[in-house]
Amino acid sequence: TLSLHDALPISKIGNEQSGGMGFPNFDCEISSIFNTLNIPFNNVNKEILKTHIELLMDWINDSHERAGEVSYYVTLNLGLCYDEVGRFVTKSVVGHFKNSDIIRPNIIFKIKSGVNYLETDPNYDLYQLSLSSSAKKMIPTYILFDSKVNSSYDPKKVAIMGCRTKVVDDLYGEQRSVGRVNIDYITINLPRLAL
């Protein structure tokens, strides 16, 4: 099983702030790690990756180590990566969510023509899998990058935290979510300040 120590970054952030945390491109980020480290994507490593994705998801769902004895609220954004590793990650995440009793983490499926929306798109099968999961458990939820309100954004630079928070607009910088946080809530951790 995954321990609190194994998931230290999530537990540390979760105990320092109010609200949740989001991974903007979970499938692309895992794929990037594999490619950067030159990890061969063979059957053994597929099984190891699938097992660890499931352990992470189960830990997020079951953990109650956050201050106040509540679960961490984590959102995984995915759907855009169409290389072998990224597709495998998306299939593993959505498949495990759909076929288990877990209700967390939250999952956002990013929809974009040319990637997953049309029958001829490389990730169309993953979009169909996500729809079957949503029909069963109401998750994933979706962000439509072909819609009028989102079509001007780069889908890999925009993400959702939670089920609906989209931090994008910036008066003085690039229109993006990646590398930013929700600015609606200001968290002051008084015990941390005292320490």
Side-chain angles (χ1 to χ4, degrees):
T1 62
L2 196 67
S3 70
L4 179 62
H5 182 266
D6 297 326
L8 190 59
I10 291 173
S11 59
K12 181 165 178 46
I13 292 168
N15 284 309
E16 293 285 338
Q17 69 172 18
S18 172
M21 59 204 87
F23 291 83
N25 299 294
F26 188 71
D27 49 351
C28 298
E29 292 157 1
I30 299 297
S31 178
S32 176
I33 291 168
F34 265 74
N35 293 329
T36 301
L37 299 177
N38 293 316
I39 299 170
F41 198 58
N42 54 34
N43 288 337
V44 171
N45 287 336
K46 284 181 183 179
E47 191 58 37
I48 291 170
L49 178 59
K50 183 176 184 289
T51 299
H52 280 86
I53 286 172
E54 291 174 359
L55 285 170
L56 175 66
M57 293 174 70
D58 291 343
W59 180 83
I60 291 167
N61 184 71
D62 297 337
S63 68
H64 293 283
E65 288 93 357
R66 188 173 186 179
E69 297 297 313
V70 297
S71 298
Y72 300 101
Y73 195 87
V74 178
T75 300
L76 307 178
N77 291 257
L78 42 75
L80 298 179
C81 192
Y82 45 82
D83 69 13
E84 188 180 15
V85 177
R87 285 179 45 78
F88 184 83
V89 168
T90 298
K91 189 179 236 180
S92 298
V93 167
V94 176
H96 183 60
F97 188 86
K98 177 184 174 186
N99 297 315
S100 67
D101 294 334
I102 63 174
I103 59 171
R104 292 184 185 192
N106 187 39
I107 303 167
I108 303 294
F109 194 90
K110 297 179 176 186
I111 298 176
K112 179 69 178 157
S113 293
V115 179
N116 54 31
Y117 185 63
L118 304 172
E119 288 186 35
T120 55
D121 292 345
N123 283 357
Y124 182 75
D125 60 325
L126 299 178
Y127 175 43
Q128 296 304 301
L129 176 64
S130 73
L131 290 174
S132 69
S133 179
S134 295
K136 182 178 180 182
K137 295 176 78 173
M138 296 181 66
I139 290 177
T141 51
Y142 302 86
I143 181 168
L144 311 172
F145 282 99
D146 296 319
S147 68
K148 185 177 179 181
V149 71
N150 292 321
S151 63
S152 64
Y153 300 126
D154 178 345
K156 288 194 175 177
K157 292 184 179 180
V158 176
I160 303 294
M161 197 303 298
C163 52
R164 63 197 168 277
T165 305
K166 178 180 76 175
V167 177
V168 177
D169 292 331
D170 190 331
L171 296 175
Y172 306 104
E174 183 181 10
Q175 307 293 313
R176 63 183 174 78
S177 304
V178 176
R180 298 177 61 192
V181 297
N182 293 347
I183 56 173
D184 297 333
Y185 295 97
I186 303 300
T187 303
I188 300 175
N189 188 328
L190 295 177
R192 172 62 69 195
L193 287 176
L195 290 172

